[in-house]
Amino acid sequence: MAVSDVRPLLELWEDVRAVDHHCHPLRRWPFQLTELELRSAFTEAIDPAIAEHHVIHTAAYQGALHRIAAELHCDPSEGAILGRRNAADPASYARQLLGRTATEVMLVDQGFATGDAFTVEEQQQATGIPQLEIIRLETLAENLVKTASDPREWFANIRAALRADVGRGAVGVKTICAYRASLKLEPVDTDALGVAFSSLRLRAERGEALRVTGNAICHALVFEAAKECQELEVPLQVHCGFGDPDEDLADASPLGLRPLLIDHAYRGLRIALLHCYPYHREAAYLCSVFPGAYMDLSLAIPFAALDGVRAMREALGLCPTSKLLYASDATRYPEVYLVAATLHREALGDALSELVERRVMSRSVAVDAGRQVLAGNARRLYPLPNGPGQ
Ligand SMILES: [Zn+2]
């Protein structure tokens, strides 16, 4: 298949400031970046042997080096890139790369922020890009175990905290249920829930680290959060598909969210399916039949190299362009935000150009669809301060 000429569309979107509806905090600068750290930023592997021996041999990392080198005007090698970046002024270097992402606002999940990461306020100050917070459900729930003596009281406290967080400006809730349980939601087993909560409570009293896991507790949390999101009119973001090996990918299909999509009790709830790959076709199906379903291809773009581009084409098989969202899912290093943003625009340009060339869409419809994916859809989905513009 001939590669489409994406340049005309990319040029027409140059003025579009994107809404990055899912990303993470940057590492607080200044710091010197090592080869291993740069490689680790472009893999979901946890075992360091992958970064050490194999990442350099991935199409995704080679592609990332080329995109970064193009911005830094140097060879696409680790040595040349690290030499440039480590010699530069960290703040202006970061602002240069982040500026190239053409991001209007970042919706930040602080969920796995480490001690060396910016807070939301610091990140806004440091980057000059407005930041809005997404609340991570499981972290919030773990922090509130001690406040309750039974699951009912716990859920009430969690919902009150979500209301308070949205009241002070958070624009959505995110669940990482797929990392803690199966994503195939089951009706809540109250006995199992009671047992699971008691053991959490005991650990909290002993001052031990808490981690909500298992279907009983994690599914109950998702149902509670879904009700609260529905009432607050904010989206529930759900991690599905691709992630690190802490999750069982076999149990991470978005199809498992069916109870939230068919039960009238959740009518009006909007669910943003994050990542989706390799279940992006399943996600696209859900978007095509359920009004409340939205999806993105973050993480697959940029980690799956050309398969990310193919995923974009496949997603647009069933998914209306009004329901596809842009996200970088970037974290820690400015390079990752740059590569994710660049490749996402390229993949979008590729998929929509093909539709134009094959006379599926007119150019003007494709240009507008790209604008919606980059910003307009998220503006309608989230309660952003400037309202639902285009
Ligand atoms: Zn993420």
Side-chain angles (χ1 to χ4, degrees), residues 184-223:
K184 188 160 176 50
L185 297 179
E186 295 168 353
V188 176
D189 175 341
T190 45
D191 291 345
L193 174 61
V195 171
F197 181 78
S198 299
S199 105
L200 268 182
R201 184 65 231 233
L202 203 63
R203 291 180 67 87
E205 278 160 19
R206 290 187 194 137
E208 295 171 7
L210 296 185
R211 189 175 156 89
V212 295
T213 56
N215 288 357
I217 215 159
C218 291
H219 293 184
L221 276 175
V222 169
F223 288 125

Side-chain angles (χ1 to χ4, degrees), residues 246-305:
D246 202 21
E247 71 167 3
D248 184 346
L249 186 57
D251 282 338
S253 166
L255 295 178
L257 300 170
R258 180 175 167 82
L260 296 178
L261 296 162
I262 59 167
D263 187 337
H264 282 276
Y266 301 101
R267 203 169 180 79
L269 171 68
R270 289 158 304 153
I271 302 178
L273 305 168
L274 306 180
H275 324 311
C276 301
Y277 179 87
Y279 300 112
H280 53 281
R281 291 194 288 188
E282 284 85 339
Y285 162 74
L286 294 176
C287 291
S288 74
V289 294
F290 295 113
Y294 293 76
M295 68 179 288
D296 74 35
L297 293 165
S298 60
L299 210 58
I301 302 168
F303 283 16

Side-chain angles (χ1 to χ4, degrees), residues 25 44 64 70 99 118 125 130 149 197 210 214 223 225 227 239 278 281 284 311 316 322 338 358 381:
E44 281 296 292
F118 284 126
Q125 181 81 29
S149 52
F197 181 78
L210 296 185
F223 288 125
K227 281 302 289 178
H239 170 106
R281 291 194 288 188
L316 290 181
S322 51
L338 170 79
R358 295 186 166 214
L381 184 58

